[in-house]
Each structure stands twice: as C-alpha cells, then as structure tokens.
Amino acid sequence: MLYLQALVNGILMGGVYATMALGLSLIFGVLRIINLAHGNLMVIGMYLSYWLFSLFGIDPYLSLFGTVCLLFFLGFLIQRYVLNPIIDAPEEMSVLITLGLGIIIQNVLLMAFGPDYYTVDTSYKLSSIMFMGVSIDVAKILTFGASIVIAAVFLSFLQWTELGRAIRAASNNRGAATLMGINVKKIYCIAFAIGAATAGVAGSCVSTFIPTSQGAGILFTMTSFVIVIIGGVGNYVGALAGGLLIGIVEELGAVLISGSMKQVLSFGLLIVILLFRPQGLLGREGEE
C-alpha cells in the first residue's frame, strides 16, 4: 500500500512538473535559449498567488488567470528588450543574461518579501480523500487537474491555431519562416511570453501545497531542465512524459531510499538516459 501511495503522489506531482517543463521546452525548442530564469518566473507566480490570497482572499486557482496575464506580459518584455537584441549572438550570451535575470528576480523578491517562507492556507489545504486505501490530497488533485487542462490547451494551441503553426515553423527553420512572411522576432516574443505564463501558472498551482520562497527558483529550473532533457529537447509530449516519470521516480525513491535523495535519483536517471539515449525518450536522433 505504501508503494501505491507513492505512485499516486508521483503521478499527481508529475503533472505539475510536466506543466512547469512545457514552457521551458517551448522556449528552448523555438528560441534555442537556455532560460536559467525559468524557475524564478514560476516563483513570481507563487508570490502573486500568495499576495492575492492574503490581501483579497482570492483562491490561487482563480488568481492564476491574473498570473497568466502578468507573466505573459513580463515574458514578452524580456524577449523584446533583452533577448531579441542578442538573437544572433553565441548561445553563451543568452545563458549569462537569463542567469542574471534569475538573480535579479530572486533579489527583488528577497527585498520585497524577506527570507521567510509563506504558505497559502486555503480551506482545503489539509483535506484529503480516500480511494482504494490511498490518501490523496485535495490540493494536489486540483493542481493535477489544472495541469491536464493547461497541457491540453497548450498542445491544441500549437497544433490547431495559425499562431501555433507560425511558432512551429519558426522553431523548425527560422530562415524559411522569414521567407514565408512570418515576423520571427515577434513570434519569439510570443513564444517566450507563453513559456513564462506557463511557468507562472505552475507557480500558482503549487503555491497551494508548497511554501513560497524566493530561493526556490533554482530547484524549479534544474528540475525543469532534467525533465526537458529526459523527454527530448523541444518535444512537448516528451516534456509531459518526462514530468510524470520524474514525479514517480522521486516519490518511489523517497519510500525506497530517503526523502532527501529525491533529487539525486532524478539526476541519476538523467545520466542513465543521456548515456543510452542522448536525444531523450521521445526526441529524434540528431536532436541531442
């Protein structure tokens, strides 16, 4: 029963991880930018939800709509005024700039909210339901459901809308997309903005059961990168599969070994997959 409990917890947490990684996969797949500020954008979503809940009593699952708008706008500005000017520079430039952005965001949050941890004490925070002898947290169920909806909207947008097709065209061949009349720089801004908004939504969702802290960004960023690489860089279905896999591995590992070894297992799995399948589980050969 203990393993079944861990498996259920892993699936629920994996859904959140998948949502978190979708935005990073989009940014890397389209812009080829290693966004080291991704986790910090997610933390902004957590603080925004905490702030709105504390002041106005707005539930994080409602405030996430405001988070989407704010993070989309912020992401658009970052790409437009910070990253687009170096679009043709070596990739190391974008790594350094996003690293700097992450540090700036973390320190601004530190000055604004201090080093303390904050919790969103919703009425259902400690509630759980029993199913086949397994206790399932209501907050995690709601977050998992929200993650499924977000992933479905995300994939449908890329597959069925004209803007989504333009993003995929820019991702596949920037030169050809330009010749087809696509404003690639504008597409890049929108892609980064969507990635940032997705991170913000994930932040709002996890704020219901993970304490909000300005220092959590680096862990979210590293976990997102592990998921994206395991699933296959730029492969959105792979990001979903990688998120679920990491969630299950972490929770089962916490039962089999120790809770403090969760991240070690994630990185261990990453090394194994890189050794035997460098392109990731669902990536195509040559994309590693």
Side-chain angles (χ1 to χ4, degrees):
M1 189 58 67
L2 189 60
Y3 296 112
L4 181 59
Q5 177 75 61
L7 178 63
V8 171
N9 287 340
I11 292 173
L12 295 178
M13 198 62 209
V16 179
Y17 284 165
T19 304
M20 187 170 72
L22 271 177
L24 186 65
S25 186
L26 175 68
I27 292 171
F28 193 87
V30 176
L31 288 80
R32 303 297 174 190
I33 287 177
I34 300 174
N35 180 20
L36 294 180
H38 190 74
N40 300 94
L41 295 172
M42 184 174 167
V43 172
I44 291 178
M46 296 177 75
Y47 271 105
L48 184 62
S49 288
Y50 165 77
W51 185 66
L52 290 173
F53 180 82
S54 299
L55 292 182
F56 306 108
I58 301 175
D59 190 277
Y61 295 106
L62 294 177
S63 65
L64 65 84
F65 293 102
T67 302
V68 166
C69 297
L70 177 67
L71 268 296
F72 184 92
F73 182 65
L74 179 60
F76 192 95
L77 292 180
I78 289 174
Q79 181 63 37
R80 173 67 179 82
Y81 294 106
V82 180
L83 295 174
N84 268 355
I86 60 157
I87 200 169
D88 295 317
E91 291 182 357
E92 293 83 357
M93 286 285 289
S94 62
V95 173
L96 291 173
I97 286 179
T98 57
L99 175 63
L101 283 171
I103 293 173
I104 290 171
I105 291 171
Q106 181 176 350
N107 281 278
V108 168
L109 293 174
L110 179 62
M111 287 190 294
F113 295 95
D116 298 329
Y117 287 80
Y118 298 94
T119 57
V120 179
D121 297 320
T122 58
S123 58
Y124 50 82
K125 181 179 181 181
L126 301 178
S127 301
S128 62
I129 60 174
M130 294 297 295
F131 180 72
M132 298 178 65
V134 175
S135 175
I136 308 175
D137 293 341
V138 171
K140 289 185 178 180
I141 294 176
L142 292 173
T143 297
F144 183 77
S147 300
I148 295 296
V149 172
I150 292 164
V153 171
F154 180 90
L155 295 176
S156 299
F157 167 77
L158 289 178
Q159 185 67 34
W160 303 112
T161 68
E162 186 174 345
L163 183 56
R165 285 192 286 270
I167 290 175
R168 288 191 288 125
S171 170
N172 291 331
N173 192 318
R174 176 183 167 189
T178 302
L179 291 175
M180 292 171 62
I182 296 174
N183 186 335
V184 173
K185 286 190 174 182
K186 183 178 178 182
I187 291 296
Y188 282 0
C189 291
I190 294 172
F192 195 95
I194 293 173
T198 307
V201 169
S204 290
C205 291
V206 300
S207 69
T208 57
F209 59 89
I210 293 179
T212 299
S213 167
Q214 43 78 29
I218 182 63
L219 180 59
F220 292 144
T221 298
M222 295 306 296
T223 304
S224 297
F225 270 108
V226 169
I227 293 168
V228 168
I229 294 172
I230 286 177
V233 174
N235 189 306
Y236 311 122
V237 177
L240 296 176
L244 289 173
L245 181 60
I246 288 297
I248 293 171
V249 166
E250 285 190 356
E251 293 298 330
L252 286 177
V255 173
L256 291 170
I257 306 175
S258 167
S260 60
M261 298 291 287
K262 290 167 61 173
Q263 276 71 45
V264 175
L265 291 172
S266 299
F267 283 96
L269 178 62
L270 172 67
I271 292 172
V272 171
I273 288 180
L274 285 178
L275 286 174
F276 294 99
R277 193 171 170 79
Q279 69 271 34
L281 294 176
L282 298 182
R284 288 175 295 185
E285 198 168 350
E287 289 184 340
E288 62 269 25

